[in-house]
Amino acid sequence: LKSNPSKNEEKEAQTQLTKSDELQRLHSQALSAYQQEDYEAAISLLDEILAVCVWDAELRELRAECYIKEGEPSKAISDLKAAAKLKNDNTEAFYKISRIYYQLGDHELSLSEVRECLKLDQDHKQCFSLYKQVKKLNKQIESAEALIREGRYEDAISKYESVMKTEPEVPVYSTRAKERICHCLSKNQQATEAIKLCSEVLQLEATNVNALKDRAEAYLLEDMYEE
């Protein structure tokens, strides 16, 4: 604008330049907060920058990392999904989304996201390894549920025991498997075992409606009406 000044444009340019300097300063502060592991401060600074730089994939990925460190994986997912769209062939974002869903116990969404990663790069080592794990677990859960629908409770129990062996590291799967085994035991008139297992689930998740219902059914079988 120096070569061809116009009042309005010059003012606009100055404003944008000031804003740009301010955003660069915030960016430096955000990186510094992240390096010092002050993730809350980093998120707050990144919020300010992303309100202006909406389409910056790298900043979204950084904020997602902060959310993960702060124990807010659901918020990380929306930033990573945006980053996956904004940056071509972003296998890393799909891998991270899939892992988060897996940790949260949503194996079906995890499978669908890891497939997106493999569509972009079928030789991606991390994605392929995660894909094999999730696919195996997904298949076991699906077949266990099919057995329950057919009333084959013994077989379903053994299938859910396999689920716990397949994924011993992520607690949500063991809890869900125990909840479903308790259901099978209750349906199979094995009241004592059902009560014991449902109680285990309820110690971990006091408001688990399915476990409460199944334990109630088991109590009825034992004529324990008060309980």
Side-chain angles (χ1 to χ4, degrees):
L1 283 169
K2 281 177 184 168
S3 64
N4 186 10
S6 112
K7 271 254 164 76
N8 287 345
E9 284 175 346
E10 195 169 350
K11 197 175 172 192
E12 169 70 3
Q14 278 311 136
T15 310
Q16 295 286 21
L17 198 57
T18 310
K19 197 181 215 175
S20 153
D21 288 342
E22 169 68 1
L23 288 172
Q24 280 183 311
R25 190 179 61 75
L26 290 173
H27 189 199
S28 303
Q29 287 179 340
L31 287 174
S32 160
Y34 177 76
Q35 278 150 8
Q36 286 163 21
E37 299 181 13
D38 185 352
Y39 303 115
E40 204 178 322
I43 289 168
S44 160
L45 290 158
L46 289 164
D47 287 347
E48 276 189 74
I49 307 168
L50 279 159
V52 182
C53 308
V54 185
W55 313 117
D56 192 313
E58 256 120 50
L59 289 177
R60 285 189 177 275
E61 284 174 347
L62 182 61
R63 187 168 67 175
E65 275 304 307
C66 294
Y67 280 136
I68 291 167
K69 302 279 190 193
E70 281 288 285
E72 296 194 76
S74 311
K75 288 183 178 175
I77 285 173
S78 74
D79 267 342
L80 287 167
K81 282 193 167 177
K85 287 197 181 90
L86 292 166
K87 207 155 85 183
N88 285 341
D89 299 344
N90 197 344
T91 50
E92 196 54 34
F94 284 116
Y95 171 71
K96 283 180 182 169
I97 297 167
S98 177
R99 273 207 68 75
I100 293 172
Y101 276 134
Y102 186 70
Q103 297 291 327
L104 291 173
D106 201 328
H107 49 96
E108 286 166 340
L109 279 175
S110 173
L111 191 58
S112 120
E113 294 294 334
V114 81
R115 279 185 175 134
E116 290 302 317
C117 171
L118 290 169
K119 273 185 206 168
L120 294 172
D121 177 5
Q122 58 189 24
D123 299 323
H124 194 290
K125 278 187 181 157
Q126 287 175 305
C127 284
F128 187 65
S129 155
L130 181 60
Y131 171 71
K132 283 197 300 186
Q133 175 71 1
V134 187
K135 193 180 176 198
K136 181 180 178 184
L137 191 76
N138 201 46
K139 200 173 171 191
Q140 286 176 329
I141 293 171
E142 278 178 357
S143 77
E145 287 301 312
L147 290 165
I148 290 174
R149 286 193 294 274
E150 291 164 21
R152 294 167 58 190
Y153 299 117
E154 289 291 339
D155 294 336
I157 288 169
S158 108
K159 190 59 78 175
Y160 265 119
E161 281 166 351
S162 305
V163 167
M164 291 196 275
K165 287 189 189 119
T166 298
E167 186 43 89
E169 302 297 319
V170 184
V172 64
Y173 295 108
S174 305
T175 308
R176 203 65 3 100
K178 284 178 182 175
E179 176 204 302
R180 299 306 280 152
I181 292 171
C182 163
H183 175 74
C184 295
L185 290 166
S186 174
K187 290 283 183 198
N188 221 19
Q189 316 268 303
Q190 292 165 266
T192 315
E193 294 94 321
I195 291 165
K196 181 172 177 284
L197 201 57
C198 272
S199 299
E200 264 184 55
V201 174
L202 288 161
Q203 274 179 337
L204 299 165
E205 294 179 0
T207 54
N208 186 314
V209 176
N210 293 328
L212 285 166
K213 287 196 298 189
D214 289 322
R215 188 169 69 174
E217 291 290 338
Y219 280 142
L220 285 174
L221 291 168
E222 293 287 280
D223 300 335
M224 295 165 75
Y225 301 121
E226 287 296 326
E227 286 84 345

